[in-house]
C-alpha cells in the first residue's frame, strides 16, 4: 500500500473536509478524492461519510486512522534509526511542558542541552494553554510531555519525577495575612477573590477538591488562561491565585507578592513524564526524554524552586 495515501487519509480526517485537506496538502481535490476511493476499494469498506458539511469517519475509518498514525510514526522512527546508524542522532521530537508548572521553566534549558548534545535533533516545545498534552501523546501527535499526573489513563504511561506544592499567591495590599505567617489554611481564604485556571486543568481540580474537603466554596472572580494576564491582574490587586511558587516568580511584580503554602489541607501535584503505551519512543525522543529527566532532577537538587521535591 502507498503510505502517501495513508497520510492523505489522516489529513482528510484531521481537517474534516476534502476541500480543506486538499488545500493543506496543496493538491487538487479530485486527485485527493481518487486516493480516498482507492483506499476504500483496497479495504472494501466505506471509510468516511460525506455530507455538505464535510466528512466524518465510519467505524472502519476510525480503525484505519488509528493504525495509520502508528504506521507512519514507525516509518518516521525507521528513518531516524537509519540515520542513527551513522552515529548521528537526528529527527524531530515534540515535547509538551505543562503551563503554570515549574516544568515550563525548563523550556530554555531543554532547548540548550538538546542543541549542545544532539545538534541534528529538531525540538518542538509546546507549553501553550488549551492543549491536552496526554491526548496528543496518546494519539502520536506528541512524543512526550512533562505534565501534572492525572492518575492511570488508557493509552499513556506516566513516570513520576517530582511533586510540586501549591501556594496562595497574592499582592501585599490584598491579603491580610498575619505578620511572620509562614502558611495559611484553606478555610481562612474562603472570602479571598481568586483568579484560577479553568476546570480543564488538573491544578484547578486539586484546588476545588481542597475547598470541598473543608466544606467551603472558593470565591472565583475570573478564570485566566494567560500567565501575562494573570500576573497583571494580581499586580493590580484584582485577586489572588493558587499556583506553584515558580508561577509567581515569573510575574513582573514578584517582590510585591506574598506567597504562602496552603495547609489543612496541603495541596500538592505530582509531575510525570507522559509517553504513549503503544508507540515506542524513537531514538531521538528517548535522548530528549533522558535530558528532560536529568534537568528535573537537577532542578530539584538545586533548591531553586521552593515547594518542589522528589517523589517518595
Amino acid at each position: 500500500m502507498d503510505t502517501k495515501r495513508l497520510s492523505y487519509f489522516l489529513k482528510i480526517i484531521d481537517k474534516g473536509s476534502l476541500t480543506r485537506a486538499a488545500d493543506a496538502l496543496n493538491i487538487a481535490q479530485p486527485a485527493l478524492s481518487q486516493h480516498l476511493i482507492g483506499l476504500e476499494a483496497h479495504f472494501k469498506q466505506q471509510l468516511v461519510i460525506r455530507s455538505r458539511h464535510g466528512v466524518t469517519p465510519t467505524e472502519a475509518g476510525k480503525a484505519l486512522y488509528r493504525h495509520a498514525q502508528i504506521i507512519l510514526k514507525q516509518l518516521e522512527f525507521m528513518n531516524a534509526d537509519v540515520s542513527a546508524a551513522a552515529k548521528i542522532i537526528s529527527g524531530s521530537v515534540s515535547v509538551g511542558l505543562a503551563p503554570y508548572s515549574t516544568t515550563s521553566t525548563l523550556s530554555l534549558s531543554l532547548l540548550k542541552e538538546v542543541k549542545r548534545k544532539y545538534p541534528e535533533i529538531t525540538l518542538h516545545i509546546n507549553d501553550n494553554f488549551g492543549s491536552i498534552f496526554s491526548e496528543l501523546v496518546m494519539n502520536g501527535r506528541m512524543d512526550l510531555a512533562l505534565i501534572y499526573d492525572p492518575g492511570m489513563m488508557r493509552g499513556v504511561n506516566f513516570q513520576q519525577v517530582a511533586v510540586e506544592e501549591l501556594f496562595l499567591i497574592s499582592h501585599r495590599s490584598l491579603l491580610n495575612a498575619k505578620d511572620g505567617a509562614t502558611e495559611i489554611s484553606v478555610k481562612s481564604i474562603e472570602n479571598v477573590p481568586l483568579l484560577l485556571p479553568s476546570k480543564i486543568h488538573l491544578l484547578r481540580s486539586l484546588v476545588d477538591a481542597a475547598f470541598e474537603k473543608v466544606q467551603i466554596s472558593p470565591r472565583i472572580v475570573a478564570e485566566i488562561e494567560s500567565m501575562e494576564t494573570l500576573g497583571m491582574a494580581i499586580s493590580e490587586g484584582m485577586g489572588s491565585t493558587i499556583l506553584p511558587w515558580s508561577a509567581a516568580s515569573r510575574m513582573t511584580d514578584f517582590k510585591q507578592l506574598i506567597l504562602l503554602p496552603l495547609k489543612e489541607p496541603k495541596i500538592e501535584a505530582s509531575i510525570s513524564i507522559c509517553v504513549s503505551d503503544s508507540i515506542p519512543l524513537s531514538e531521538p525522543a528517548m535522548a530528549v526524554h533522558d535530558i528532560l529527566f536529568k534537568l528535573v532532577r537537577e532542578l530539584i537538587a538545586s533548591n531553586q524552586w521552593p515547594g518542589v521535591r522528589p517523589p517518595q
Side-chain angles (χ1 to χ4, degrees):
M1 176 181 291
D2 185 354
T3 56
K4 183 182 291 186
R5 281 187 172 176
L6 292 180
S7 65
Y8 286 172
F9 180 73
L10 292 184
K11 186 64 70 174
I12 291 170
I13 300 304
D14 289 341
K15 294 296 183 180
S17 161
L18 281 164
T19 302
R20 290 192 292 270
D23 288 342
L25 293 166
N26 198 27
I27 63 174
Q29 182 178 330
L32 185 60
S33 296
Q34 286 303 311
H35 284 293
L36 178 57
I37 291 169
L39 275 177
E40 292 183 324
H42 175 85
F43 289 105
K44 298 180 175 60
Q45 296 282 344
Q46 182 180 358
L47 299 175
V48 300
I49 298 173
R50 299 161 178 81
S51 71
R52 60 190 181 89
H53 299 295
V55 297
T56 54
T58 62
E59 290 303 313
K62 291 177 183 178
L64 177 60
Y65 183 86
R66 291 193 299 270
H67 287 289
Q69 283 186 311
I70 295 172
I71 290 169
L72 293 176
K73 196 71 175 177
Q74 290 290 354
L75 285 174
E76 182 182 333
F77 292 164
M78 179 186 69
N79 291 332
D81 288 344
V82 170
S83 297
K87 305 303 181 184
I88 298 175
I89 298 180
S90 64
S92 296
V93 180
S94 53
V95 180
L97 299 175
Y100 286 130
S101 75
T102 299
T103 63
S104 63
T105 66
L106 294 174
S107 55
L108 185 57
S109 297
L110 179 63
L111 183 59
K112 288 180 177 179
E113 190 65 8
V114 169
K115 286 304 173 188
R116 184 183 71 82
K117 294 188 69 174
Y118 305 105
E120 298 300 317
I121 289 180
T122 302
L123 192 62
H124 302 269
I125 298 176
N126 185 342
D127 62 357
N128 294 326
F129 295 92
S131 298
I132 301 178
F133 292 147
S134 57
E135 290 186 5
L136 294 176
V137 171
M138 186 189 309
N139 294 329
R141 297 186 182 185
M142 180 176 283
D143 293 302
L144 63 151
L146 192 57
I147 60 176
Y148 290 116
D149 190 339
M152 291 188 63
M153 181 182 296
R154 285 188 62 184
V156 292
N157 289 324
F158 294 99
Q159 177 187 13
Q160 191 178 23
V161 293
V163 176
E164 190 167 57
E165 185 176 3
L166 301 191
F167 290 69
L168 178 72
I169 304 169
S170 179
H171 196 273
R172 293 182 182 277
S173 64
L174 185 64
L175 189 65
N176 295 319
K178 295 180 180 178
D179 291 339
T182 57
E183 56 186 9
I184 191 167
S185 69
V186 172
K187 184 167 286 189
S188 68
I189 62 172
E190 179 178 9
N191 296 316
V192 172
L194 294 177
L195 312 168
L196 297 177
S198 67
K199 290 181 178 292
I200 67 168
H201 293 278
L202 180 65
L203 283 182
R204 173 63 181 277
S205 66
L206 294 175
V207 171
D208 288 346
F211 275 83
E212 185 176 348
K213 189 171 183 178
V214 295
Q215 299 180 332
I216 61 175
S217 297
R219 184 187 165 198
I220 299 170
V221 295
E223 295 181 336
I224 299 177
E225 301 285 343
S226 163
M227 276 299 302
E228 182 180 3
T229 302
L230 180 63
M232 290 189 295
I234 290 177
S235 296
E236 293 287 335
M238 296 180 66
S240 304
T241 192
I242 298 175
L243 289 176
W245 186 94
S246 60
S249 72
R250 302 200 297 279
M251 294 179 184
T252 56
D253 205 20
F254 178 55
K255 292 183 179 179
Q256 295 300 317
L257 301 181
I258 294 176
L259 285 81
L260 294 173
L262 291 154
K263 65 174 184 177
E264 300 174 357
K266 186 176 186 177
I267 309 178
E268 292 185 319
S270 295
I271 299 173
S272 294
I273 297 179
C274 173
V275 298
S276 170
D277 67 4
S278 60
I279 305 174
L281 289 176
S282 64
E283 188 170 4
M286 182 56 73
V288 173
H289 169 283
D290 293 344
I291 290 174
L292 190 56
F293 185 87
K294 175 174 173 286
L295 288 175
V296 173
R297 290 301 189 192
E298 289 175 350
L299 183 148
I300 294 172
S302 71
N303 294 317
Q304 290 183 32
W305 307 116
V308 180
R309 61 174 176 83
Q312 295 178 341

